[in-house]
Structures are given as structure tokens and as C-alpha cells.
């Protein structure tokens, strides 16, 4: 159901806190090793099963985890579908996502995790984007790495595979 005025105000405040936290985290960790290339293909794939990675301490505290799940249900319209302990992931079904029309009924008040996708993945060692996503991660030093690989006189198929695996394309 589309967000009402009160929910929009609450989500705007939550978004400000989310952005401040992200900026601080980026300052602490430095530049991500990848940049984004491409553009949104508007498939709605990232709305199929939005997921949140929980910090280690919060994952170990059941009350904290329940609070995260409750907040996302109440404010963001995200209903918990699964927990993946190995990756500390909470996977949701979004009640704002219209699966037939493949669009969000509250796009302008969508939460930070939706606005961030797939940029939030660029800090991972080898980012995996959702199949069909029009974006792709490219290593910051892609040009230099690609030139270095090509200098080695490797077979074209090996160069292609390395370029793909190392996100140089
Ligand atoms: S709030 Fe909107 S953008 Fe975010 S997952 Fe749901 S449908 Fe997608």
C-alpha cells in the first residue's frame, strides 16, 4: 500500500540517518575498489527479494534483530522471508512492489537500501549483482590491470575470462 504522509515523514528522517551512517562508514573504509558502470535496466529484479546485511553484534542479539525486522515491517513495508546466518542476511518480501507491473508504489519515499542498490555492493571483494541488472561493477584500476594482462601474451580466451572475473569490463 502506498505510503501516507506520516510514513513519508518518518522515512525521510530515517533516510537522513541512513545516509549519515553510510557516509561515516565510507570515510572509515576509504574508497570502494569498484565503480559502477551501466544504467538501471528497470526490470524490478532488485525489488524481488531485498536483503539487509546485519552487523555481527546485532546479529548475535535477538532483541536487536527483532527490532530491525519489526522496523522494516512497520516502516518500510518489508516482510521477513528468510534469514541466512552464514552471511548475516535478512531477506524480505516488499509489500510496495507490484509484481505484475514491476514497479514500486512508493518510489519517492523508498528507503536507503533501495536507493543504494547496487552501489552498496561495491565495497565487497567481488560484487555479485542480481541477474538482469543493467549496472556492472568495474575495478577502479581496470585500465591498468587490463593493459598488464594483455602484455603477458596470454590466449584471448584467458584474457577475456580474467577480465570478466576481475571485473575489468
Ligand atoms: S520499497 Fe520500492 S524500491 Fe524498495 S524494494 Fe520495495 S518496491 Fe523496490
Amino acid at each position: 500500500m502506498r505510503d501516507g504522509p506520516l510514513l513519508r515523514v518518518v522515512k525521510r528522517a530515517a533516510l537522513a540517518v541512513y545516509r549519515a551512517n553510510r557516509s561515516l562508514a565510507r570515510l572509515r573504509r576509504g574508497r570502494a575498489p569498484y565503480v559502477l558502470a551501466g544504467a538501471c535496466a528497470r526490470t524490478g529484479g532488485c525489488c524481488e527479494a531485498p536483503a539487509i546485511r546485519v552487523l555481527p553484534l546485532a546479529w548475535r542479539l535477538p532483541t536487536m534483530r527483532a527490532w530491525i525486522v519489526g522496523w522494516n515491517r512497520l516502516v518500510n513495508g518489508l516482510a521477513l522471508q528468510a534469514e541466512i546466518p552464514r552471511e548475516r542476511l535478512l531477506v524480505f518480501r516488499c509489500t510496495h512492489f507490484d509484481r505484475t507491473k514491476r514497479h514500486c508504489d512508493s518510489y519517492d519515499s523508498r528507503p536507503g537500501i533501495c536507493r543504494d542498490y547496487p552501489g552498496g555492493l561495491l565495497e565487497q571483494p567481488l560484487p555479485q549483482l542480481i541477474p538482469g541488472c543493467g549496472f556492472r561493477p568495474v575495478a577502479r584500476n581496470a585500465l591498468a590491470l587490463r593493459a598488464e594482462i594483455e602484455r603477458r601474451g596470454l590466449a584471448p580466451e584467458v584474457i577475456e575470462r580474467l577480465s570478466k572475473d576481475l571485473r575489468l569490463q
Side-chain angles (χ1 to χ4, degrees):
M1 191 177 64
R2 200 169 152 66
D3 288 338
L6 179 61
L7 214 41
R8 282 169 185 271
V9 172
V10 173
K11 287 173 88 171
R12 193 172 292 271
L15 181 61
V17 173
Y18 176 90
R19 282 184 169 151
N21 281 336
R22 293 254 351 134
S23 304
L24 278 177
R26 281 188 182 133
L27 271 180
R28 268 200 316 271
R29 288 197 288 262
R31 287 195 316 173
Y34 299 94
V35 293
L36 269 186
C40 178
R42 308 188 82 79
T43 62
C46 51
C47 301
E48 287 279 3
I52 294 176
R53 191 182 303 279
V54 177
L55 292 172
L57 180 63
W59 186 267
R60 278 198 294 273
L61 296 174
T63 324
M64 182 72 104
R65 213 167 349 141
W67 191 89
I68 295 171
V69 169
W71 170 272
N72 276 291
R73 181 70 191 92
L74 208 67
V75 177
N76 292 331
L78 298 172
L80 184 68
Q81 295 297 289
E83 295 187 354
I84 306 177
R86 199 165 51 90
E87 298 174 52
R88 301 191 316 277
L89 274 184
L90 299 173
V91 183
F92 299 92
R93 176 183 60 79
C94 184
T95 57
H96 290 296
F97 183 50
D98 182 328
R99 286 187 157 64
T100 313
K101 296 182 186 150
R102 317 262 334 140
H103 81 79
C104 172
D105 72 10
S106 301
Y107 192 71
D108 48 348
S109 55
R110 68 197 186 287
I113 57 158
C114 306
R115 294 169 194 264
D116 241 9
Y117 185 87
L121 303 179
L122 298 178
E123 286 156 22
Q124 295 181 353
L126 285 174
Q128 300 283 349
L129 273 49
I130 289 166
C133 181
F135 287 106
R136 63 181 193 283
V138 179
R140 273 191 193 279
N141 54 354
L143 280 179
L145 268 176
R146 173 106 192 179
E148 186 57 39
I149 288 171
E150 282 171 355
R151 257 200 299 276
R152 305 278 157 154
L154 301 168
E157 60 274 18
V158 176
I159 293 178
E160 269 324 289
R161 186 161 48 76
L162 282 173
S163 295
K164 191 161 173 272
D165 291 351
L166 297 173
R167 317 285 193 267
L168 307 181
Q169 297 164 327

